[in-house]
Amino acid sequence: MALNIVVCIKPVPDPQYYDKVSIDPETKRIIREGIPTIINPVDKNGIEAALQLRKLYGGKVTVVTMAPPNAVENLREALAMGADEAILLSDREFGGADTLATSYTLAKGIEKLANFDIVFCGVESADGATAQVSSQLGEWLGIPHLWNVFEIEAEDERNLKVKTKVENGSMDWEIKLPCLLGVAREVNKPRFISAMGIIKAKKKPISIWGRDDLTLEDERIGLTGSPTKAGEIFEPDLKRKGEILKGSLEEVVDVLTSKVRAAGINITEGKGIGSEEVSEDE
Amino acid sequence: MNKIWVFAEQVECSLDRVVLELLTKAKELAREMAGETEIAAVLLGCNVESLVESLGKYGADKVYLAESEELKLYNPSIYAPIITELVKEEDPDIFLFGATAIGSELCPTIAAQLKTGVAAHCIDMNINKDGKLVATVPSFGGKIVGEILCPDTRPQMASVKPGIFIQGEEEEREPLVEKVEVNINTENLPLKAISLNKKEIKGVPLDKAEIVFCGGFGLGNKENWEKLERLAGLFGGAVACTRPVVDEGWAPGEHLMIGTSGKSVRPKVYIGFGISGATHHVCGIKDSGLIISVNNDEKAAIFEISDIGIVEDLNKVLDQLLLKFS
Ligand SMILES: Cc1cc2nc3c(=O)[nH]c(=O)nc-3n(C[C@H](O)[C@H](O)[C@H](O)COP(=O)(O)OP(=O)(O)OC[C@H]3O[C@@H](n4cnc5c(N)ncnc54)[C@H](O)[C@@H]3O)c2cc1C
Ligand SMILES: Nc1ncnc2c1ncn2[C@@H]1O[C@H](COP(=O)(O)O)[C@@H](O)[C@H]1O
């Protein structure tokens, strides 16, 4: 039996440039000019996981995004990686959505695709990084879901064995399809795009669906459908005095040591003390 | 009466530290709210009643206790509906979760079931003059922070990473225990938790260390990471790292990573070796007492957010420190 696989990808400003993001003092809006928009890095792990499942059982991989119209470029890249079809959910009315409204809209888009067996998300987006859309989409779709997945093993095309990361360890799960998995970076290594992939991608279909193409409740989308509202934004000032130590290596390390001592760390030269002694000193 | 709830996350009958941090914060929020406020902890598990005492000591007036064999291992398909039902019955104003692996899944899941809002990964929380929760959350790797409100739906939910708030003092308080009935048919659930596999963590735990030796990509190899471990041993401190060091396999695992996707620390002293100062990392160390950085690039951004900088090859500094203290 062939699988219908869906991957949710989000276009985000390239995280390598986040040091350059700032707030316009006048308009109070975030300035991100000149920062390229890329596929959210971990969402490529989602695409890779989908392609690997398709290889095992056959079927179709559809990438879905809710984004402004220029996200077509990011979808094209996903198609070049090997996805078969792309859906862009785009409408002014979708704007200003928080995670609940975003996941609702994504769910309505996915439900319109006749049927689906498995949905992949990334664990979190680089810009907003709420790490919530994955689990919330699972809820809207009414299917079992897991987040922080770093290993997927298919028992057969209806049953998966999955591992998730938890604090200081991991958990093992069995999950039946249809289901949703939010994957972590460790799950696989996304493939590179080949020249052939780029050529093939040009012919693959990208559908653009707006509000009127979906069956949805207006009060659940966009700003209206978002229970959270944004207040003020700030750029935290983390600057410290940044005193640069000058002198020979020995001198510099001596000053460093005395500063560490002055900050309340108890150390003895030439006879390092262990952690037990430190805790006794407290 | 106002109600603030905290999810009392436990694994193998041990509370996550973030629970006590959240209870402490809940007490602060209660003081900012007009009128009487009850703080309650929501505890699910199997044979976990012994945890009620510490929940009380750190601020819980009440503990909702759901116990059953089915709750022994965490499972969102079982935990979420129980908690969602409880919220619907009791109608709390605020509900706080740790942004741990478990909390980061459970919190948005419950929020979706209740169709309410969550402020994710808060770094601050206040009550405004209208009595509403104002949460501050980071975006763009911490470069920008913004306020999030949830004005109309209840509860106002929020998640907070461990180490963001400080655990307060214990007080004598005997919380009221309210048993929650568990009648979920787990027989045919499509999602089954099979096992929990804990990793042994050696050395001083990162969140307890007074001095942290943090290695960046500039370390260049695993030998330098081992030197860092030796230094930490000599100083009674802990080792930590940035993301590339995990990716390269020099550090033993992600539990030592500091930053937006890792831990937040506040040691008395943080010393970083070969770290450039990306916002993703820096926002996890900003509350440290003294920040010292070693980097051979005098233009490295890390120097701006450091108290003390050393422009030098880290190989030399590591060897000199080891020479001096071994
Ligand atoms: C969504 C997302 C989440 C992320 N989350 C995290 C996170 O939680 N934590 C985290 O750390 N990162 C995170 N990152 C990665 C982060 O953006 C940076 O890439 C990372 O922090 C850089 O690590 P670094 O400073 O060790 O390495 P680099 O940026 O490569 O810096 C290495 C530094 O070492 C110096 N150096 C080189 N050789 C020497 C030498 N011999 N002596 C002295 N100095 C030397 C160089 O001058 C340079 O400044 C995240 C990224 C994304 C996209
Ligand atoms: N607008 C969107 N369109 C498609 N997928 C999204 C969108 N927003 C979030 N996602 C998915 O949800 C994951 C978690 O995102 P977030 O909750 O924003 O941190 C991402 O890795 C994506 O897989």
Side-chain angles (χ1 to χ4, degrees):
Chain A
M1 200 191 78
L3 295 176
N4 273 316
I5 310 169
V6 177
V7 189
C8 294
I9 66 168
K10 182 183 181 187
V12 297
D14 189 340
Q16 281 184 38
Y17 298 88
Y18 287 177
D19 300 329
K20 312 252 169 345
V21 177
S22 61
I23 297 171
D24 186 321
E26 303 267 291
T27 61
K28 295 280 170 204
R29 298 180 65 162
I30 295 172
I31 312 177
R32 34 171 288 193
E33 240 95 89
I35 303 184
T37 300
I38 61 166
I39 297 178
N40 181 43
V42 74
D43 297 352
K44 288 196 172 174
N45 298 87
I47 300 173
E48 179 63 39
L51 297 176
Q52 290 182 9
L53 261 191
R54 185 186 64 186
K55 186 157 186 228
L56 274 181
Y57 298 112
K60 191 171 80 175
V61 174
T62 309
V63 283
V64 178
T65 189
M66 181 186 95
N70 49 8
V72 164
E73 280 175 49
N74 305 103
L75 290 173
R76 194 71 73 187
E77 187 185 342
L79 294 174
M81 267 181 85
D84 302 289
E85 274 185 44
I87 312 284
L88 171 60
L89 305 173
S90 203
D91 196 306
R92 275 182 180 269
E93 304 286 322
F94 297 159
D98 69 1
T99 64
L100 191 68
T102 300
S103 52
Y104 174 79
T105 312
L106 288 170
K108 293 297 148 188
I110 292 169
E111 281 167 359
K112 189 180 156 105
L113 297 165
N115 51 38
F116 59 90
D117 298 294
I118 183 162
V119 181
F120 287 103
C121 282
V123 267
E124 66 179 9
S125 57
D127 52 354
T130 69
Q132 300 192 144
V133 168
S134 171
S135 309
Q136 297 197 316
L137 177 56
E139 285 300 313
W140 285 117
L141 292 172
I143 55 177
H145 51 91
L146 280 173
W147 181 81
N148 226 4
V149 171
F150 71 95
E151 224 179 278
I152 303 167
E153 193 195 318
E155 292 255 283
D156 54 55
E157 66 264 57
R158 296 325 289 173
N159 294 283
L160 303 177
K161 283 189 167 176
V162 163
K163 285 184 194 290
T164 59
K165 294 194 276 177
V166 295
E167 250 52 28
N168 301 332
S170 64
M171 280 185 80
D172 287 19
W173 306 83
E174 283 173 12
I175 190 164
K176 283 195 195 325
L177 271 52
C179 66
L180 178 146
L181 303 179
V183 298
R185 293 182 318 129
E186 295 83 351
V187 76
N188 55 38
K189 217 167 162 290
R191 67 194 59 190
F192 290 109
I193 292 171
S194 64
M196 201 54 205
I198 296 173
I199 295 166
K200 280 192 188 156
K202 291 196 178 128
K203 294 205 198 74
K204 292 179 181 172
I206 300 183
S207 316
I208 304 179
W209 295 342
R211 184 188 62 176
D212 297 336
D213 299 305
L214 303 176
T215 316
L216 41 72
E217 295 170 43
D218 281 343
E219 68 276 12
R220 291 253 165 252
I221 60 168
L223 207 53
T224 324
S226 300
T228 60
K229 303 289 175 236
E232 306 239 349
I233 52 173
F234 317 88
E235 262 180 90
D237 182 10
L238 304 178
K239 280 207 172 58
R240 300 200 181 197
K241 56 182 186 296
E243 178 197 348
I244 301 290
L245 299 185
K246 296 264 177 337
S248 70
L249 183 63
E250 287 80 14
E251 285 163 359
V252 165
V253 169
D254 286 347
V255 178
L256 181 153
T257 313
S258 59
K259 299 265 185 192
V260 169
R261 284 210 180 92
I265 306 293
N266 199 348
I267 35 169
T268 331
E269 271 170 58
K271 164 168 91 63
I273 52 167
S275 51
E276 295 89 343
E277 280 128 299
V278 167
S279 41
E280 266 174 29
D281 283 344
E282 279 178 348
Chain B
M1 187 174 55
N2 307 311
K3 293 180 183 174
I4 305 181
W5 284 16
V6 171
F7 174 60
E9 178 176 334
Q10 61 80 28
V11 169
E12 292 181 330
C13 204
S14 141
L15 284 175
D16 194 283
R17 62 187 278 239
V18 76
V19 177
L20 307 183
E21 294 164 3
L22 290 176
L23 284 169
T24 307
K25 190 67 192 179
K27 284 201 286 188
E28 269 176 57
L29 294 175
R31 282 195 287 276
E32 292 175 34
M33 289 173 101
E36 210 185 322
T37 302
E38 180 188 73
I39 298 174
V42 179
L43 177 61
L44 280 72
C46 180
N47 299 324
V48 288
E49 197 161 359
S50 57
L51 299 175
V52 167
E53 196 184 323
S54 1
L55 293 171
K57 281 188 176 150
Y58 286 92
D61 304 305
K62 187 190 257 183
V63 176
Y64 292 98
L65 176 65
E67 284 192 303
S68 139
E69 191 63 34
E70 273 86 40
L71 300 176
K72 192 166 186 163
L73 281 179
Y74 160 75
N75 182 335
S77 300
I78 305 174
Y79 274 46
I82 294 175
I83 299 173
T84 295
E85 273 319 300
L86 193 61
V87 169
K88 282 185 180 159
E89 278 164 31
E90 302 286 327
D91 201 18
D93 301 276
I94 295 176
F95 198 173
L96 309 178
F97 285 74
T100 55
I102 288 177
S104 296
E105 174 173 79
L106 196 55
C107 177
T109 300
I110 292 169
Q113 292 178 352
L114 294 163
K115 315 234 179 332
T116 189
V118 190
H121 307 155
C122 301
I123 50 172
D124 202 3
M125 276 190 248
N126 295 292
I127 303 295
N128 70 9
K129 58 178 189 334
D130 305 326
K132 290 181 174 155
L133 181 73
V134 183
T136 311
V137 304
S139 60
F140 294 99
K143 186 68 191 343
I144 307 280
V145 300
E147 292 174 350
I148 298 286
L149 289 95
C150 179
D152 305 317
T153 53
R154 290 292 172 272
Q156 307 163 83
M157 294 176 67
S159 70
V160 184
K161 288 206 323 179
I164 297 289
F165 297 135
I166 299 172
Q167 173 185 325
E169 300 290 321
E170 292 185 4
E171 292 170 350
E172 269 323 307
R173 182 187 293 101
E174 214 168 300
L176 202 74
V177 176
E178 195 165 313
K179 295 248 160 101
V180 180
E181 246 183 90
V182 183
N183 39 17
I184 289 218
N185 185 1
T186 55
E187 200 90 331
N188 296 314
L189 274 186
L191 175 63
K192 278 204 168 64
I194 305 299
S195 62
L196 169 76
N197 326 296
K198 281 260 176 181
K199 240 201 256 169
E200 274 306 321
I201 305 294
K202 56 173 194 182
V204 178
L206 194 46
D207 55 281
K208 300 227 165 60
E210 297 201 327
I211 179 164
V212 168
F213 291 82
C214 190
F217 189 59
L219 283 182
N221 54 51
K222 189 155 177 147
E223 287 70 56
N224 276 338
W225 172 261
E226 281 156 8
K227 285 183 186 170
L228 218 57
E229 287 185 324
R230 263 166 62 204
L231 266 181
L234 291 169
F235 280 68
V239 279
C241 62
T242 60
R243 190 151 104 174
V245 177
V246 181
D247 292 348
E248 294 293 329
W250 303 332
E254 211 185 31
H255 60 284
L256 294 180
M257 185 173 88
I258 296 178
T260 38
S261 329
K263 298 258 155 65
S264 289
V265 297
R266 48 172 85 236
K268 282 184 181 160
V269 179
Y270 163 100
I271 312 186
F273 294 87
I275 292 168
S276 61
T279 53
H280 289 116
H281 178 68
V282 165
C283 71
I285 63 168
K286 64 178 174 47
D287 296 322
S288 305
L290 183 71
I291 299 183
I292 305 177
S293 299
V294 182
N295 195 308
N296 60 4
D297 174 8
E298 61 177 356
K299 295 206 185 62
I302 192 77
F303 288 130
E304 279 191 24
I305 66 106
S306 305
D307 299 290
I308 299 168
I310 299 176
V311 184
E312 184 61 90
D313 183 350
L314 64 87
N315 289 286
K316 292 187 189 159
V317 179
L318 280 177
D319 288 342
Q320 178 64 20
L321 275 167
L322 282 169
L323 189 74
K324 198 171 155 99
F325 291 100
S326 301

